[in-house]
Amino acid sequence: MTITRRDFLNGVALTIGAGLTPLQLLQAAPSGRYYPPALTGLRGSHPGAFEVAHQMGWEKKVFDTTGLKVEEHYDLVVVGGGISGLSAAWFYRQQHPKARVLIIENHDDFGGHAKRNEFQMGNQMILGYGGSEAFQSPKHLYSDTVNGLLKQLNVDVDRFQTAFDRNFYPNLGLSRGVFFDKTGFGEAKLVSGDPTPMVADDIAPNKLNARSWRAFIGDFPLPEADRQALIDLHEAPRDYLAGKSLEQKEAYLAKTSYQDFLRKDVGLSEAAARYFLSRTNDFSALSIDAVAAADAYGVGFPGFAAMGLAPVSEALKAEMEEPYIYHFPDGNASLARLLVRSLIPAVAPGNNMNDIVLAPFDYARLDIAQSPVRLRLNSTAVSVANRNGGVDIGYSRGGELHRVRGKHCILACYNMMIPYLLRDLCTEQAHALAQNVKFPLVYTKVVIRNWRSFMTLGVHEIYAPNQPYSRVKLDYPVDIGGYSHPRDPDQPIGLHMVYVPTTPNAGLDARSQARLGRSKLYAMNFEQMEGMVRDQLQAMLGPAGFDYHKDVQAITINRWPHGYAYYANSLFDDQQQSEKLMNLARQKVGNVAIANSDAAWEAYAHAAIDEASRAVNELLSAVGVADSERIHEPDR
């Protein structure tokens, strides 16, 4: 089903407003084909995916499923069909190939944050990623477990070195730019030639098409004194903590935000410091008021070169310098698709990383009775309880409650939801789980009919420090598996836009900002969110001939009120206490183990996979082969 932007605004939005879920929408489609990746409009955590969970979390509603008949028996029931849940099912089946597995997922698609956005523009397909976007530094961060899984799925990370064209935008003469808006800086202006090094950059350092710091900053719409202060920060930094010992400096930077360091120690004005405000949003899901100066140093932000600090670790240095090129056109949705195809081969043809990109997926095959692995979408877990040597799992689907039973259960859902599900938790573990307050964020994909405006402005990516979307970029240039990235500026292309609803300078800690940001997202409807996209794109690109109403062909707003996993923040957390909370939170409870990237306090696909492996090993370490062969027998 192809839904154009006009179709969505005129029809589908009204249908959702009238109360139909995405499942009902798809069932009502003229083609009759259930295929969520092609849906546009409001995606991510979409209407129909979160309401039951909110009844438990917000209204404290308890769903009692103990009196229901057990409808199905499985060896393993996995709650959560994201990267971690799918990996858990895969690892379990590796150890017990005959095991029967059920995966239940509250969204209308599998993959969790690894969301595939698919657009059809005439004869041209444009793929995008609505969440988890790439392998982060696989050469240095990936464990033997993760590498082993990728090998079994026929993924060769070296293939991306030829699939990802790092020179595509540089060879067009394009650079990165910064957009200064009138409200924040007194003048609307886009400045190209940004020399700022990115964390794990996809562009080679010598290919940035950058200007000198003096020339670049000299074009900022700031007073001369502020421009000079920024030039000095980059070109002639001083020891801003002179007189302190190395230990004192390190302790101070760990407990001082980068914003306070710039204002109080470097001496930047409020306007000059505002230039950095959202530089950390995409990577940390927080603005510089809530990111420690020590962390800013670790990822290469300016101001520390003359302070005599210890070098960053070799591991961190390698991670930061490894190019960000390990990217499928639909991000890590292709990894999710590889896992699903391995678990349920009937859903799609093929057997490697190349053919997965355009492989046709038959969603009708995900939940077939005779299949040893079943993936049940639009199903929200409401209760999990150890009982009689197994686990009872209750879930809500289509307004009805159901009960299934497994010998084992893995909770690969958000950690903060587990206390509302798992009836056997002690108070201390429930508290520890609740501390992983996930950060909200929005990945918006906009298909424009051509990208001449970017060519005119001389940029392929724009940082906007004072706008909702801190990052706006032309999509990554990846050709793989028969999919070709758009190369003609007169043809359609996808834009990737990142919005993190932070609340800087309000005196809030990281968790409080996450909760408030989540409330902001839930309070906005699609029209309001699209208005933010429209206003910002028009302001940035309008001077180069862009007309939002004519040029935007499709829009998908991937809203994630529960996005990045929480990570220990030295401004607000004690490292040792954080580790204790993390370890306590993921402890096995009876025949229930806990996975997801939340369990590692790391928002990475490889963390999700490692946690899935750990959870499976915890469950099976005490189970002999003979026991495993009997675990799907009916209760007696």
Side-chain angles (χ1 to χ4, degrees):
M1 177 172 62
T2 300
I3 303 178
T4 66
R5 175 177 173 275
R6 184 177 299 278
D7 290 336
F8 182 84
L9 295 178
N10 292 342
V12 177
L14 297 177
T15 309
I16 290 179
L20 288 182
T21 67
L23 172 61
Q24 294 166 318
L25 270 175
L26 288 160
Q27 290 172 335
S31 66
R33 183 191 180 206
Y34 184 98
Y35 191 66
L39 283 176
T40 56
L42 185 59
R43 299 293 293 150
S45 185
H46 56 75
F50 54 83
E51 290 81 356
V52 173
H54 284 182
Q55 286 181 292
M56 291 186 283
W58 293 3
E59 302 171 21
K60 310 305 178 188
K61 182 175 181 178
V62 176
F63 291 88
D64 186 3
T65 60
T66 55
L68 297 178
K69 176 185 176 182
V70 176
E71 299 173 2
E72 299 161 345
H73 294 78
Y74 295 91
D75 299 310
L76 173 68
V77 177
V78 180
V79 176
I83 296 293
S84 199
L86 296 172
S87 298
W90 191 90
F91 285 124
Y92 197 96
R93 289 270 297 172
Q94 285 291 108
Q95 296 196 43
H96 295 290
K98 295 182 179 180
R100 297 184 66 244
V101 178
L102 172 67
I103 306 164
I104 58 177
E105 166 61 41
N106 60 307
H107 292 90
D108 63 13
D109 202 355
F110 58 81
H113 292 141
K115 181 77 70 176
R116 179 180 172 105
N117 293 157
E118 191 172 307
F119 305 90
Q120 195 67 42
M121 298 292 112
N123 295 325
Q124 181 183 3
M125 176 187 286
I126 294 179
L127 292 177
Y129 50 99
S132 181
E133 65 183 57
F135 299 164
Q136 176 69 47
S137 307
K139 299 285 188 178
H140 295 92
L141 295 185
Y142 280 22
S143 66
D144 290 342
T145 298
V146 177
N147 286 326
L149 179 143
L150 294 179
K151 183 177 180 180
Q152 289 293 315
L153 295 175
N154 291 319
V155 174
D156 178 7
V157 296
D158 289 333
R159 172 69 179 90
F160 292 108
Q161 295 179 8
T162 55
F164 194 112
D165 188 352
R166 298 185 73 187
N167 293 322
F168 177 65
Y169 293 125
N171 286 350
L172 291 174
L174 303 182
S175 67
R176 292 191 174 102
V178 178
F179 176 69
F180 297 89
D181 64 291
K182 186 173 182 179
T183 300
F185 297 93
E187 178 185 349
K189 186 176 185 180
L190 192 144
V191 180
S192 62
D194 187 352
T196 303
M198 296 288 127
V199 175
D201 206 341
D202 58 293
I203 306 294
N206 62 342
K207 293 282 189 175
L208 293 175
N209 291 326
R211 295 191 284 166
S212 69
W213 286 114
R214 181 167 297 277
F216 174 63
I217 294 172
D219 278 346
F220 286 10
L222 291 172
E224 182 179 354
D226 286 344
R227 296 198 303 271
Q228 188 59 52
L230 287 171
I231 292 169
D232 290 342
L233 175 67
H234 287 88
E235 292 189 341
R238 297 178 285 104
D239 184 351
Y240 302 108
L241 298 179
K244 293 183 182 292
S245 68
L246 175 60
E247 292 75 16
Q248 289 173 326
K249 289 178 180 179
E250 290 176 342
Y252 179 83
L253 295 174
K255 289 298 182 182
T256 301
S257 73
Y258 187 55
Q259 177 172 267
D260 283 348
F261 172 74
L262 293 175
R263 294 291 310 279
K264 298 176 181 179
D265 299 303
V266 176
L268 295 186
S269 70
E270 180 181 350
R274 190 181 303 125
Y275 159 69
F276 292 100
L277 181 64
S278 300
R279 280 286 187 191
T280 53
N281 281 22
D282 191 20
F283 197 71
S284 301
L286 290 166
S287 301
I288 62 170
D289 69 304
V291 172
D295 291 333
Y297 166 61
V299 295
F301 280 37
F304 307 99
M307 292 180 60
L309 300 175
V312 299
S313 68
E314 288 299 318
L316 178 58
K317 185 174 184 290
E319 177 188 349
M320 295 301 102
E321 292 181 354
E322 188 172 350
Y324 197 67
I325 60 172
Y326 305 97
H327 173 86
F328 285 100
D330 59 354
N332 286 335
S334 273
L335 175 57
R337 285 157 63 91
L338 283 163
L339 284 162
V340 170
R341 186 175 65 181
S342 178
L343 291 165
I344 313 172
V347 301
N351 61 6
N352 60 55
M353 67 181 290
N354 293 301
D355 57 41
I356 196 64
V357 177
L358 297 180
F361 263 63
D362 184 354
Y363 278 69
R365 299 271 184 175
L366 291 175
D367 193 6
I368 301 297
Q370 60 269 30
S371 175
V373 179
R374 303 175 70 174
L375 175 51
R376 190 161 296 161
L377 302 173
N378 302 292
S379 302
T380 303
V382 296
S383 64
V384 177
N386 284 284
R387 186 171 288 113
N388 300 326
V391 186
D392 280 0
I393 299 96
Y395 67 91
S396 174
R397 190 170 195 260
E400 296 183 0
L401 293 177
H402 303 269
R403 180 183 173 201
V404 296
R405 184 169 175 80
K407 174 64 178 178
H408 295 124
C409 177
I410 289 179
L411 297 178
C413 52
Y414 302 157
N415 272 16
M416 59 192 305
M417 268 307 296
I418 293 175
Y420 300 102
L421 299 176
L422 185 54
R423 305 295 168 82
D424 310 318
L425 277 178
C426 67
T427 302
E428 292 79 11
Q429 188 172 1
H431 170 75
L433 285 159
Q435 299 316 296
N436 201 287
V437 179
K438 296 173 79 71
F439 293 104
L441 71 160
V442 176
Y443 278 7
T444 292
K445 316 302 287 194
V446 179
V447 177
I448 54 177
R449 65 188 178 99
N450 66 65
W451 38 294
R452 279 291 165 190
S453 55
F454 282 84
M455 293 291 290
T456 299
L457 294 168
V459 297
H460 62 88
E461 180 175 330
I462 302 170
Y463 161 61
N466 200 55
Q467 289 281 286
Y469 285 90
S470 58
R471 190 181 192 191
V472 178
K473 65 185 296 297
L474 297 173
D475 204 1
Y476 291 117
V478 181
D479 297 341
I480 188 170
Y483 178 80
S484 297
H485 175 266
R487 292 181 173 272
D488 183 350
D490 291 317
Q491 296 299 314
I493 198 171
L495 303 183
H496 176 62
M497 304 179 64
V498 180
Y499 165 45
V500 183
T502 60
T503 309
N505 303 316
L508 300 176
D509 64 18
R511 289 184 176 90
S512 297
Q513 289 205 39
R515 294 186 181 101
L516 184 56
R518 182 157 43 254
S519 298
K520 290 179 182 179
L521 292 187
Y522 282 129
M524 287 188 285
N525 59 32
F526 177 83
E527 288 74 18
Q528 291 171 313
M529 298 184 80
E530 193 215 7
M532 290 165 47
V533 175
R534 178 193 63 235
D535 293 346
Q536 185 169 341
L537 286 181
Q538 194 60 48
M540 293 190 304
L541 306 177
F546 177 83
D547 184 331
Y548 183 90
H549 297 289
K550 293 180 180 179
D551 290 333
V552 170
Q553 304 296 294
I555 180 171
T556 297
I557 297 178
N558 300 279
R559 178 188 65 177
W560 299 111
H562 302 271
Y564 287 168
Y566 189 84
Y567 55 90
N569 186 322
S570 64
L571 293 181
F572 314 110
D573 304 315
D574 176 81
Q575 182 65 38
Q576 291 185 340
Q577 179 63 20
S578 294
E579 290 182 7
K580 289 180 180 179
L581 287 170
M582 180 181 67
N583 291 326
L584 174 58
R586 64 189 180 191
Q587 284 185 1
K588 182 172 73 76
V589 180
N591 288 313
V592 181
I594 296 171
N596 204 347
S597 64
D598 291 4
W601 285 32
E602 284 191 76
Y604 292 120
H606 63 269
I609 295 170
D610 278 328
E611 292 303 314
S613 176
R614 174 197 50 76
V616 168
N617 289 335
E618 286 179 355
L619 289 176
L620 295 180
S621 61
V623 178
V625 174
D627 293 328
S628 70
E629 295 301 323
R630 294 196 297 267
I631 55 183
H632 60 265
E633 295 178 358
D635 295 334
R636 290 183 173 86

